[in-house]
Amino acid sequence: MTEPFLVAKNIAKRFGALTALSNVDLEIRSGEVLALLGDNGAGKSTFIKILAGAHPPSEGELVIEGKSVAFSSPKDAASSGIATIFQELALSENLSIAENVFLGRELKRSIFGVPFLKRQEMRQRVDGLLKELDAHISDPEAPVGSLSGGQRQAVAICRALNLNAKLVIMDEPTAALAVAETRKVLALTRRLAARGCAVVLISHNISEVFEVADRIVVFRRGRKVAERLAAETNHEEVVSLITGAHPDVRALEKTN
Amino acid sequence: MSAVRQSANGVFSMNGREWSLLVACLLAIVIFSVASPHYATSGNAATVLRNSVELLLTGLGMTLLLAMGGIDVSIGIVMGLAAIAIGRVLGADGNPALALLVGPLVGALLGCVTATVVVLGRVPAIVGTLGLLGVYRTAVFVLLGGQWLSGLPSSLTNVLATTVLGVPVPALVIAIAYLIIWLALRRTPYGLHLLAIGNSEEKARLSGIPVIKTRFMTFLISGFLTGIAATFYVATYRNVEMTIGSTLALDAIAAVILGGTSILGGKCSLIGTVLGVLLLRILQNGLLLIGVPSLWQPVVTGVLIIGVLGFEAVSNRLPLGLIQRARA
Ligand SMILES: Nc1ncnc2c1ncn2[C@@H]1O[C@H](COP(=O)(O)OP(=O)(O)OP(=O)(O)O)[C@@H](O)[C@H]1O
Ligand SMILES: [Mg+2]
């Protein structure tokens, strides 16, 4: 087997007295869709925020393509090829779609050392991306605040695609979507993986997860309690892993 | 939100809010002309424009600060400190070249101090700049020793009260400042970053924007502009009194929100700020000429701020149908 794109070793995260994550070991492989499951508050978003450079871990190490990395900002993670669609989307409602897609990594030309925006080029790239996503947005100049939940999701996905990332992380990308849009996002995750991209998908919808995931990891109370190949498990087992009714999880939680 | 889009089109393009400000300015001029025989004179017009110079410069800086979700209530006293520095340099040898440099320099330095407290020290801007205001007020008192700095040499005045190709130097400097800030705001990544931070600092951070650098820069720019304002102040009045700049922050904040910049950040209008400054100064001057004591000027400004913010709060809370009906 090839070397994983990213290895998380013994990751822990504390917010003051609250331990949101402890002892998480995880491997993320290129060309694979990895689903992260777990109850509300299990630590899924916290974990991916560490991968995205938004939180520094309290303990542990991230290794990307064999090299240890320490992200001090989301920009660092982006330059390592990690694109993240956060649960809260992190879009600027007052800016346009194109401005949001390129925010923080604008296309610019230097005139007398001053970086000027290449608005035209950014517009064209975004039009192309929106077409590729088959997203129906009538006015790309409209502020993102005036878009529907699904349209905003499309903008956030454009942002991630625009990075040409090696790892795309999506935190509950389908939570706000209607049936047709959900299908599009799920098809997209498969397409990204087929392209050789690593994909991490967080979702509470287990049937959705079985449709697209190669591997399933379950978090519970800040710890990774199970990892299964999607082909070797089933809906019921995953539910019992999430709720803690599964004997493996009980055994694990008894020993600690 | 529409202001963001519409103002992005051109350097001086205006939206509905901005046109109404222009109409309000003209209306005020007509009313004051009728009410006072001394009003509609070229001398008085020059006075109003002259009185707007410092407020225009600091107002542009305040526009950037508010758009970013920041604020600075200490700009008046910062202008005072810069003015004292300029006065000392002038008093020493009257060298105008050095005097021209020292204002922007002190302003930028004090902008760095503010940024250190507010941005690096993470003290909320309103509290941090209020604290600095207290400290600087005593500093001004100590530096002036309870007396005015007066009778300064006219060397600075000779440079700044001239015209270049028929354009007064203050107007030229303001136009250049306006153009540079407009370009930075609408044509460079800095402007996008500023507006994104004003919308939500956390989202801006998650988007990979250099939040700390952008915020620091903006306080520095505002300080620099305040230093230029101090230079014009000293050149015009040739003295520095204890109460220098005491209403500058209030006036600047009023003019900027009058112009359509959101007090909550994320949205701004530079042309709106210019019109807001003019309206404020026209009202203050006109009321004085029709016999309202100058003591009442801050009252007018305060009522304007409360009126604008109150109106915006109410109109945002009204059901959409009601607003549309009111507009129709
Ligand atoms: N910035 C923060 N400061 C303090 N506590 C936090 C912070 N972020 C998350 N937490 C806490 O960490 C724990 C894990 O939260 P997290 O958001 O990772 O859960 P989640 O698995 O994503 O849940 P959900 O399915 O509801 O999105 C929670 O108890 C949460 O309150
Ligand atoms: Mg979450």
Side-chain angles (χ1 to χ4, degrees):
Chain A
M1 202 176 345
T2 55
E3 173 185 53
F5 171 71
L6 184 148
V7 184
K9 291 180 183 168
N10 195 29
I11 298 289
K13 179 69 191 175
R14 286 179 285 275
F15 295 107
L18 183 133
T19 301
L21 283 178
S22 58
N23 292 317
V24 177
D25 289 294
L26 196 68
E27 296 188 350
I28 299 171
R29 296 194 172 77
S30 303
E32 192 179 78
V33 177
L34 173 74
L36 273 189
L37 292 172
D39 255 340
N40 293 125
K44 306 179 297 292
S45 296
T46 305
F47 180 70
I48 60 108
K49 279 190 174 167
I50 290 172
L51 300 186
H55 287 324
S58 308
E59 263 173 52
E61 186 189 20
L62 294 180
V63 179
I64 291 181
E65 291 176 327
K67 283 196 266 315
S68 178
V69 293
F71 298 145
S72 60
S73 74
K75 204 174 181 123
D76 289 352
S79 9
S80 291
I82 300 177
T84 309
I85 299 163
F86 295 100
Q87 188 166 14
E88 55 275 44
L89 294 185
L91 299 173
S92 296
E93 288 87 351
N94 57 340
L95 301 182
S96 77
I97 294 167
E99 288 166 341
N100 264 286
V101 169
F102 280 93
L103 196 60
R105 43 174 184 274
E106 300 81 6
L107 301 181
K108 54 214 167 191
R109 72 171 64 87
S110 178
I111 303 176
F112 301 119
V114 181
F116 282 95
L117 294 169
K118 293 200 211 168
R119 284 189 181 275
Q120 203 72 30
E121 271 105 317
M122 295 198 284
R123 242 318 276 285
Q124 281 163 3
R125 277 268 283 280
V126 169
D127 285 346
L129 285 168
L130 287 173
K131 208 165 281 163
E132 186 185 333
L133 269 182
D134 193 20
H136 300 290
I137 294 175
S138 51
D139 178 13
E141 287 296 306
V144 162
S146 71
L147 301 180
S148 75
Q151 290 171 326
R152 287 181 204 206
Q153 194 72 52
V155 175
I157 292 174
C158 275
R159 235 186 103 78
L161 292 181
N162 187 43
L163 243 186
N164 268 325
K166 295 184 200 160
L167 166 60
V168 175
I169 301 170
M170 304 191 195
D171 194 347
E172 303 195 27
T174 58
L177 300 188
V179 181
E181 275 70 29
T182 300
R183 300 252 69 82
K184 273 185 223 161
V185 170
L186 294 180
L188 178 76
T189 58
R190 281 310 335 168
R191 249 192 295 152
L192 284 171
R195 234 193 253 173
C197 197
V199 182
V200 172
L201 175 74
I202 297 179
S203 173
H204 288 291
N205 186 327
I206 296 170
S207 11
E208 206 176 282
V209 163
F210 271 101
E211 244 177 85
V212 294
D214 300 300
R215 239 164 5 116
I216 295 173
V217 164
V218 180
F219 276 32
R220 195 173 146 75
R221 296 180 183 153
R223 304 181 54 197
K224 181 176 127 179
V225 294
E227 177 165 348
R228 300 276 191 277
L229 285 174
E232 291 170 6
T233 181
N234 58 50
H235 199 291
E236 268 159 59
E237 188 187 19
V238 169
V239 171
S240 68
L241 287 168
I242 293 170
T243 58
H246 195 283
D248 286 6
V249 181
R250 286 222 205 124
L252 193 73
E253 289 183 343
K254 209 171 280 170
T255 59
N256 291 281
Chain B
M1 239 156 240
S2 62
V4 176
R5 294 271 67 78
Q6 295 184 22
S7 307
N9 295 334
V11 186
F12 299 115
S13 52
M14 308 216 289
N15 65 14
R17 165 72 158 258
E18 291 144 9
W19 280 111
S20 1
L21 271 175
L22 187 61
V23 170
C25 287
L26 297 176
L27 209 63
I29 290 171
V30 170
I31 292 172
F32 287 131
S33 304
V34 173
S36 161
H38 310 295
Y39 187 80
T41 64
S42 61
N44 189 47
T47 302
V48 172
L49 291 175
R50 181 27 253 148
N51 286 343
S52 305
V53 171
E54 291 85 20
L55 191 55
L56 281 169
L57 287 165
T58 52
L60 292 175
M62 190 65 80
T63 308
L64 297 178
L65 287 175
L66 289 190
M68 186 178 75
I71 198 166
D72 187 344
V73 298
S74 71
I75 55 166
I77 206 80
V78 166
M79 183 172 87
L81 284 169
I84 292 171
I86 298 164
R88 291 269 193 264
V89 168
L90 274 181
D93 60 359
N95 178 349
L98 197 59
L100 278 176
L101 283 179
V102 74
L105 194 75
V106 170
L109 265 171
L110 293 177
C112 283
V113 173
T114 312
T116 303
V117 171
V118 171
V119 181
L120 304 183
R122 300 192 162 277
V123 180
I126 181 97
V127 181
T129 58
L130 204 54
L132 288 172
L133 172 64
V135 174
Y136 292 161
R137 179 156 286 157
T138 302
V140 165
F141 188 84
V142 170
L143 284 169
L144 291 181
Q147 286 176 321
W148 284 33
L149 212 59
S150 59
L152 294 169
S154 61
S155 49
L156 203 54
T157 317
N158 297 339
V159 180
L160 294 181
T162 51
T163 61
V164 175
L165 303 171
V167 185
V169 170
L172 200 65
V173 170
I174 289 167
I176 292 171
Y178 182 95
L179 268 174
I180 292 176
I181 292 174
W182 185 88
L183 281 173
L185 200 54
R186 306 297 184 198
R187 291 288 179 267
T188 72
Y190 166 79
L192 288 184
H193 296 174
L194 185 97
L195 292 170
I197 292 169
N199 180 67
S200 158
E201 214 179 303
E202 177 62 7
K203 288 178 182 178
R205 190 180 78 87
L206 290 176
S207 302
I209 285 173
V211 173
I212 291 179
K213 190 176 120 193
T214 306
R215 295 188 69 218
F216 200 102
M217 273 272 293
T218 308
F219 278 100
L220 198 156
I221 292 169
S222 173
F224 181 79
L225 288 166
T226 308
I228 299 179
T231 314
F232 282 112
Y233 185 95
V234 175
T236 307
Y237 301 110
R238 287 168 58 195
N239 61 45
V240 182
E241 68 271 38
M242 288 293 299
T243 55
I244 180 172
S246 54
T247 59
L248 188 66
L250 177 65
D251 285 353
I253 293 165
V256 170
I257 62 174
L258 207 56
T261 294
S262 168
I263 189 89
L264 301 173
K267 177 188 147 183
C268 70
S269 161
L270 287 178
I271 192 77
T273 293
V274 171
L275 292 167
V277 167
L278 291 179
L279 179 60
L280 200 62
R281 286 302 190 232
I282 288 170
L283 287 178
Q284 289 170 342
N285 164 272
L287 290 173
L288 204 62
L289 284 188
I290 62 170
V292 178
S294 63
L295 186 68
W296 285 84
Q297 286 192 353
V299 176
V300 175
T301 322
V303 168
L304 269 179
I305 293 189
I306 296 168
V308 170
L309 290 183
F311 176 77
E312 285 180 356
V314 169
S315 58
N316 284 340
R317 224 173 289 146
L318 285 176
L320 208 61
L322 248 176
I323 298 173
Q324 276 161 355
R325 230 172 301 152
R327 282 200 186 129

